[in-house]
Amino acid sequence: MIKSSLLNSSAIRLTLSLCGVFFLSVILMFGIALYETEEDLGKGLRGSVLEMQATLLDVYRRQGFPGLKEQVNILSVGAKGGRTLLYLTDSTKNPVAGNVSRMETFVGWRDVVASDIMLIDPPRHPPDAFVSFGTEFSEGDLIIGRSKSEIKEMRFGILESLLGGFIVSLTLTFATAIVLARSNNRRLFLIEKTLARTAAGNFSDRIASAPGRHDDLARVAASINAMLDRLETTVESLRQVSVDIAHELKTPVQRLRQKLEILAQNKSLDGSAQESVDLIIDETNGIIDIFQAMLRISQIEGGGRKSQFKKVDLLLICQKIVDIFMPVAEDKKQLLELQFDEDCDYSLVGDADLLTQMITNLVENAIRHCDEGIVINITLSGRDDHRVLEISDNGPGIPANERPRVMERLYRLEKSRTTPGSGLGLSLVKAIADLHEFKISLESNEPGLRVIVHIP
Amino acid sequence: MKILLIEDDVETANYIKKGLLQEGYTVDWVADGRDGVVQGASENYNLIITDRMLPALDGLSIVKSLRSAKIDIPILILTAVGGIDDRVEGLDAGADDYLVKPFSFAELSARCAALLRRPPLQSEVTQLVVRDLKMDLIRRVVTRGSDAIILQPREFQLLEYLMRNASRVVTKTMLLESVWDFHFDPKTNVVETHISRLRSKIDGPYETKLLHTIRGTGYVLSDD
């Protein structure tokens, strides 16, 4: 995971771009330096050619052509190293002295390529070219040249060291880039992980701070932590608000109910008044139920119940529920069935009361919202590393666009608004599922509703 | 029967006290937890009802103190905090029953009656009888008159509970908790459905009806 995201890492891209720019500028600099140096060396060579030429010119002036010829011969002997080119011709362009057997004559500067001439007694590694100067006399022509090997050697030398340095640099930079990128990645990954957990609903996660680091990433992490603190407090107080409201309202409603009970026992009420009082008491009970349910959901979400988890057998719970609700379903001419995969074990650690309530809610929803003749199925099965509980019916189902919202508190389906029920049933189911770390999803049973609960 | 009520909310206390007096109990009321412990330990009560949230000393501590003072009479805790953990905590502390506010008085009354019944010495009772309805607990057989009545296991459990509490009103909540171990209120009429099935088996073919529905309260299995 770290490997593949290395390519995606901003740190790596940054480092590599910087490296690229750095290397390019180094190459540029070297190129310029190389050019300048070659120029300088070239000038130096020309200088030395001119020097030689001046000397020979001097000899010519003083001793005439024969003197020049003799001098060239003497110099040719010493020019065995192949660094110097000497060529003297007579007026018919025939060579009379020098270390070249034959070559073309010219006047002025020319770079003479070694493959165009034939050196007498060439050294083992003859140079490629000579910086040469040609002079014309009335008796003949003189060409003096110096080898460009020096320049070539220098160029190679610089390129060699450049390449060597380049490779070392590159390796070093790359290694450093990877190390830095990984360290950066790790820290970014921590931040990512915490943010993902928060998005999933866990508001208590914080980014661990690396000791001794005070750079921009550390500051971002600290800011995020502060923001998460705030978020957690806000969410808590929101949760607390609805709990507080329910609590506050419970007492007055309790008193209301007490007074209604007293009223109900009043013998002077006639039949219809008595009925009305009973209905009012029913409604009041309904209100109290809603509060109780809201408070319960809130407590379950608070997670405190988790410490009391024990080993429970889901199969036993389902069997009990089917046993108890089968008569209720039968009264409505519905069929309630339990099927389970026998090879699987359905025990887990949890709260038997809450799990019973969760499954009961789902079964009751099916019974209440489906008409006569509907079949309600409870299926327990095992799949790979987890178990699956499915409660499905072939009744009216829930429209696809409403399915995601159905487990929100107090959400009622458009068409169910007139039926009794508070809309909290599925919220409670979701809260209990979340507490046990089950994954719950709603699908269409085509027709009907299928509730799928994944149990790890 | 003498009942001690430990409750700091005046209105609730009056409500409960009045109801219990009407039912023929003698009621002593204290509003402070510490007074409650002292009084509960020193005088002879048949039942103690205490609120959970009290100033000075909370209900759980009251229960624990009384229990460690070897006061073994039944204790019922009332609470406005409907915590799911709280019920277990209350029972763990030594209470016998736990009722969440708001509750109807009928519920309270029925539970008090159930707590006050003298528990039969377990080894003695092998048979429960209400008029001509007999339940043999050893052989798990129910007869009425000379007819054998075939009951499903859950129906048997339900009838057993009703017979053990014969002539006392049992509320739906009590049935849900004791017979089915449901600690919540189902939305469908489970209890009524099972009761009516049971009724059709044990009362249906007979002239004298034993299983009665008390409107607004619950059910009672009795001879009159």
Side-chain angles (χ1 to χ4, degrees):
Chain A
M1 170 266 314
I2 296 231
K3 272 268 143 57
S4 68
S5 65
L6 263 183
L7 294 170
N8 262 333
S9 154
S10 53
I12 276 251
R13 283 210 300 277
L14 188 68
T15 317
L16 291 182
S17 335
L18 278 177
C19 281
V21 171
F22 176 69
F23 286 133
L24 279 176
S25 47
V26 164
I27 290 173
L28 195 66
M29 264 169 33
F30 260 97
I32 294 175
L34 194 66
Y35 178 73
E36 300 270 307
T37 318
E38 278 193 24
E39 280 292 298
D40 274 350
L41 278 178
K43 275 201 207 121
L45 278 178
R46 288 190 186 197
S48 114
V49 166
L50 285 176
E51 236 182 76
M52 232 191 316
Q53 204 244 13
T55 314
L56 287 172
L57 212 58
D58 198 44
V59 167
Y60 175 73
R61 282 203 204 100
R62 284 198 265 115
Q63 300 174 12
F65 199 79
L68 178 65
K69 177 172 161 194
E70 201 186 310
Q71 191 63 13
V72 171
N73 274 330
I74 293 170
L75 286 174
S76 296
V77 172
K80 284 251 165 71
R83 291 183 160 263
T84 318
L85 182 153
L86 291 155
Y87 189 66
L88 187 64
T89 65
D90 61 18
S91 45
T92 59
K93 307 268 191 239
N94 281 328
V96 295
N99 57 0
V100 182
S101 53
R102 187 132 198 122
M103 71 181 275
E104 214 186 291
T105 59
F106 54 86
V107 174
W109 288 105
R110 193 189 280 193
D111 275 357
V112 174
V113 178
S115 49
D116 289 346
I117 62 176
M118 275 190 349
L119 283 168
I120 301 171
D121 215 3
R124 206 168 324 147
H125 299 289
D128 291 336
F130 295 89
V131 172
S132 316
F133 191 76
T135 324
E136 207 180 27
F137 299 106
S138 46
E139 296 95 325
D141 293 284
L142 173 66
I143 313 265
I144 303 169
R146 282 301 278 253
S147 144
K148 288 179 92 176
S149 307
E150 266 176 63
I151 296 184
K152 194 162 131 192
E153 272 158 29
M154 179 219 65
R155 192 195 300 158
F156 273 166
I158 287 187
L159 284 178
E160 241 177 34
S161 60
L162 179 67
L163 193 68
F166 208 80
I167 290 178
V168 170
S169 242
L170 198 70
T171 318
L172 214 68
T173 314
F174 211 69
T176 313
I178 293 192
V179 167
L180 285 178
R182 277 177 93 168
S183 147
N184 241 34
N185 259 16
R186 222 175 289 130
R187 293 167 76 194
L188 282 172
F189 178 67
L190 275 177
I191 295 182
E192 233 186 303
K193 203 162 64 152
T194 304
L195 290 175
R197 284 225 202 97
T198 307
N202 178 349
F203 298 110
S204 53
D205 220 33
R206 295 291 178 273
I207 305 166
S209 54
R213 287 215 194 235
H214 302 290
D215 61 1
D216 47 2
L217 267 188
R219 287 202 301 277
V220 168
S223 299
I224 293 181
N225 277 350
M227 180 204 77
L228 290 178
D229 281 341
R230 193 61 193 270
L231 187 65
E232 193 180 15
T233 317
T234 308
V235 167
E236 251 322 291
S237 44
L238 274 178
R239 198 179 281 165
Q240 200 50 33
V241 163
S242 56
V243 171
D244 289 344
I245 291 179
H247 256 135
E248 284 302 310
L249 288 172
K250 257 176 71 164
T251 317
V253 176
Q254 153 87 349
R255 301 205 179 161
L256 180 67
R257 205 245 289 262
Q258 286 169 6
K259 293 179 165 53
L260 283 171
E261 278 182 16
I262 295 172
L263 180 62
Q265 287 160 11
N266 190 331
K267 301 285 186 249
S268 65
L269 289 176
D270 67 21
S272 68
Q274 185 73 281
E275 259 181 58
S276 303
V277 174
D278 284 344
L279 287 173
I280 298 174
I281 293 183
D282 279 344
E283 289 289 340
T284 316
N285 285 339
I287 297 175
I288 292 173
D289 283 346
I290 294 179
F291 287 144
Q292 306 274 39
M294 281 183 80
L295 288 172
R296 193 156 228 225
I297 294 175
S298 162
Q299 276 160 5
I300 294 172
E301 282 176 349
R305 188 86 160 165
K306 239 178 160 148
S307 53
Q308 307 208 348
F309 274 14
K310 293 203 250 301
K311 194 150 182 258
V312 300
D313 187 339
L314 208 57
L315 180 58
L316 286 178
I317 293 179
C318 289
Q319 283 170 332
K320 176 169 117 168
I321 292 176
V322 169
D323 202 22
I324 293 172
F325 283 92
M326 188 135 33
V328 181
E330 279 171 9
D331 277 357
K332 250 188 120 170
K333 300 197 180 30
Q334 293 166 341
L335 180 58
L336 175 64
E337 278 189 334
L338 171 66
Q339 282 146 357
F340 60 97
D341 186 358
E342 286 185 18
D343 302 321
C344 198
D345 165 49
Y346 301 103
S347 50
L348 58 122
V349 177
D351 185 307
D353 284 346
L354 291 179
L355 289 171
T356 308
Q357 188 165 3
M358 179 182 93
I359 301 175
T360 303
N361 264 7
L362 291 168
V363 170
E364 283 191 312
N365 271 358
I367 293 178
R368 285 189 331 164
H369 291 127
C370 295
D371 295 325
E372 299 193 349
I374 298 295
V375 177
I376 303 166
N377 260 317
I378 306 180
T379 319
L380 279 171
S381 56
R383 212 175 283 178
D384 304 327
D385 56 344
H386 63 275
R387 280 77 54 94
V388 178
L389 165 68
E390 274 183 39
I391 296 164
S392 51
D393 61 73
N394 52 355
I398 298 177
N401 58 324
E402 293 192 65
R403 256 180 257 140
R405 297 196 56 199
V406 138
M407 293 197 268
E408 285 171 28
R409 286 176 224 223
L410 300 175
Y411 185 89
R412 306 294 316 278
L413 293 181
E414 282 311 312
K415 60 177 161 58
S416 310
R417 277 190 194 282
T418 49
T419 59
S422 63
L424 283 170
L426 283 178
S427 304
L428 191 61
V429 165
K430 178 132 196 339
I432 297 176
D434 285 346
L435 186 70
H436 286 80
E437 285 171 38
F438 297 166
K439 199 166 101 61
I440 187 166
S441 60
L442 305 174
E443 282 173 18
S444 171
N445 201 28
E446 276 153 33
L449 177 69
R450 192 187 315 168
V451 182
I452 306 175
V453 184
H454 292 273
I455 300 151
Chain B
M1 292 280 188
K2 224 160 98 160
I3 297 182
L4 172 64
L5 171 64
I6 313 175
E7 169 64 69
D8 64 321
D9 179 45
V10 177
E11 265 213 39
T12 310
N14 275 335
Y15 171 73
I16 296 176
K17 190 169 158 185
K18 208 163 121 179
L20 290 174
L21 286 173
Q22 268 176 2
E23 304 230 320
Y25 297 104
T26 315
V27 182
D28 281 347
W29 168 40
V30 292
D32 183 275
R34 274 189 283 254
D35 291 341
V37 176
V38 167
Q39 201 150 333
S42 54
E43 302 226 9
N44 260 337
Y45 291 103
N46 301 97
L47 170 72
I48 298 180
I49 302 175
T50 174
D51 193 17
R52 169 134 179 186
M53 303 282 202
L54 290 163
L57 196 62
D58 76 290
L60 287 189
S61 311
I62 295 178
V63 174
K64 286 185 194 152
S65 311
L66 288 171
R67 290 293 181 234
S68 51
K70 299 278 184 277
I71 307 292
D72 285 330
I73 56 178
I75 303 182
L76 178 114
I77 301 185
L78 301 173
T79 181
V81 180
I84 24 193
D85 292 335
D86 299 329
R87 188 170 181 280
V88 176
E89 265 179 11
L91 298 178
D92 278 350
D96 297 276
D97 206 352
Y98 199 89
L99 197 53
V100 177
K101 295 186 208 173
F103 51 83
S104 64
F105 182 78
E107 186 78 45
L108 178 68
S109 161
R111 286 174 187 260
C112 287
L115 288 173
L116 282 167
R117 105 174 103 99
R118 219 154 292 276
L121 297 169
Q122 304 293 16
S123 49
E124 271 190 24
V125 178
T126 54
Q127 212 185 50
L128 296 167
V129 179
V130 175
R131 203 182 157 97
D132 56 340
L133 180 67
K134 290 193 178 67
M135 175 182 276
D136 186 328
L137 291 169
I138 312 272
R139 285 165 37 222
R140 313 293 284 176
V141 164
V142 176
T143 53
R144 184 156 182 187
S146 49
D147 310 320
I149 302 181
I150 313 293
L151 293 179
Q152 305 270 344
R154 289 225 187 259
E155 290 168 340
F156 189 94
Q157 267 178 293
L158 178 58
L159 183 59
E160 183 181 343
Y161 186 79
L162 286 165
M163 291 184 82
R164 283 189 190 273
N165 285 283
S167 306
R168 271 184 291 269
V169 178
V170 298
T171 61
K172 270 189 231 177
T173 319
M174 288 162 76
L175 286 171
L176 284 166
E177 285 177 14
S178 311
V179 179
W180 291 298
D181 203 21
F182 272 16
H183 299 283
F184 57 91
D185 214 359
K187 292 179 268 200
T188 52
N189 52 353
V190 194
V191 179
E192 278 131 352
T193 310
H194 284 265
I195 289 276
S196 72
R197 288 195 180 205
L198 183 65
R199 186 178 270 147
S200 65
K201 288 193 178 174
I202 64 168
D203 269 354
Y206 304 95
E207 218 193 282
T208 322
K209 308 296 176 198
L210 298 173
L211 183 50
H212 309 280
T213 303
I214 311 292
R215 194 190 44 114
T217 309
Y219 307 95
V220 66
L221 185 74
S222 80
D223 211 344
D224 43 38

